[in-house]
Amino acid sequence: GQNIDQPTEMTATEGAIVQINCTYQTSGFNGLFWYQQHAGEAPTFLSYNVLDGLEEKGRFSSFLSRSKGYSYLLLKELQMKDSASYLCASSDSNYQLIWGAGTKLIIKP
Amino acid sequence: NAGVTQTPKFQVLKTGQSMTLQCAQDMNHEYMSWYRQDPGMGLRLIHYSVGAGITDQGEVPNGYNVSRSTTEDFPLRLLSAAPSQTSVYFCASSYSETGANVLTFGAGSRLTVL
């Protein structure tokens, strides 16, 4: 079947680095998305990976290994505003998205 | 540019009532979709559309109807509300008709069915 797993909750300290992992089993895999969702708000796009490797965008980076069915989102120099849920989603052979339940990231001062 | 606009933001219904959640986008996106988000679960696709006049079912379509008469609008109708439909609903659109590109989400509609 098709499945996405990511940790339910993580805690990190302001100024530190955190890595949020996502594993997937998706038939006809067509790419991996990361979205950020603040409490009570809509998800917003962070990154998209379709090839193996690291994509860097400022303080945020996303990595993909297609052979391992694995991705991570790396957040550097954490700020309080990074407290949010981070949603991992894979695209299948029909380009439909399969969503993980999200990782709630708590940033402590 | 308003993006994706959803109304209402909050709604309380009684079991058996019907209602329509409105969604409009001004980005000329071909792809539009409705998701529901429940605690501890990933976003689940209810219905989607790849263009005006074309709709299709997603993962959890039962109890919901959609139509797409224009590129801009994609309303979601609850035919006879049930407590299991208590959820947060998001409309999302994408310029790609496959939806395999960046989704722009509306602000969400929180529905409670008593």
Side-chain angles (χ1 to χ4, degrees):
Chain A
Q2 313 211 81
N3 197 37
I4 291 232
D5 285 313
Q6 51 181 133
T8 302
E9 187 175 295
M10 300 181 70
T11 303
T13 305
E14 190 177 14
I17 300 173
V18 70
Q19 178 176 311
I20 303 174
N21 296 326
C22 171
T23 58
Y24 64 88
Q25 290 177 304
T26 305
S27 58
F29 177 76
N30 273 310
L32 195 290
F33 292 83
W34 285 96
Y35 283 77
Q36 180 189 57
Q37 185 178 25
H38 285 102
E41 297 183 10
T44 55
F45 171 77
L46 285 178
S47 68
Y48 172 65
N49 296 68
V50 66
L51 300 176
D52 286 355
L54 189 68
E55 296 274 345
E56 296 186 75
K57 270 189 194 179
R59 294 189 300 112
F60 291 11
S61 303
S62 57
F63 172 84
L64 177 67
S65 167
R66 293 176 68 119
S67 61
K68 295 181 179 177
Y70 168 69
S71 173
Y72 67 72
L73 182 68
L74 190 72
L75 292 75
K76 303 176 186 175
E77 301 168 17
L78 285 169
Q79 302 175 9
M80 297 304 293
K81 68 179 181 180
D82 298 329
S83 292
S85 288
Y86 292 86
L87 314 181
C88 172
S90 67
S91 178
D92 70 10
S93 57
N94 295 317
Y95 296 99
Q96 294 298 335
L97 294 178
I98 300 131
W99 295 82
T103 299
K104 183 178 180 181
L105 178 63
I106 300 167
I107 310 295
K108 295 186 174 179
Chain B
N1 228 2
V4 179
T5 303
Q6 275 183 246
T7 55
K9 289 210 68 164
F10 300 95
Q11 183 73 47
V12 178
L13 290 177
K14 294 181 181 177
T15 297
Q17 288 184 318
S18 62
M19 76 157 298
T20 299
L21 299 177
Q22 301 290 345
C23 176
Q25 52 92 8
D26 62 359
M27 299 172 286
N28 203 32
H29 283 175
E30 290 296 329
Y31 181 91
M32 295 187 75
S33 56
W34 277 101
Y35 285 93
R36 60 178 289 172
Q37 187 174 42
D38 300 293
M41 302 182 73
L43 289 163
R44 291 185 291 169
L45 182 64
I46 304 171
H47 286 283
Y48 66 98
S49 167
V50 298
I54 306 168
T55 63
D56 209 343
Q57 296 181 351
E59 180 187 354
V60 288
N62 291 343
Y64 307 95
N65 263 356
V66 292
S67 59
R68 185 95 180 269
S69 55
T70 65
T71 299
E72 295 77 22
D73 299 300
F74 190 46
L76 177 73
R77 296 182 187 85
L78 279 71
L79 309 172
S80 177
S84 61
Q85 293 179 304
T86 293
S87 187
V88 179
Y89 291 85
F90 288 101
C91 180
S93 71
S94 170
Y95 70 85
S96 166
E97 66 178 22
T98 68
N101 285 287
V102 176
L103 287 171
T104 300
F105 285 84
S109 300
R110 183 175 293 274
L111 174 68
T112 302
V113 182
L114 303 176

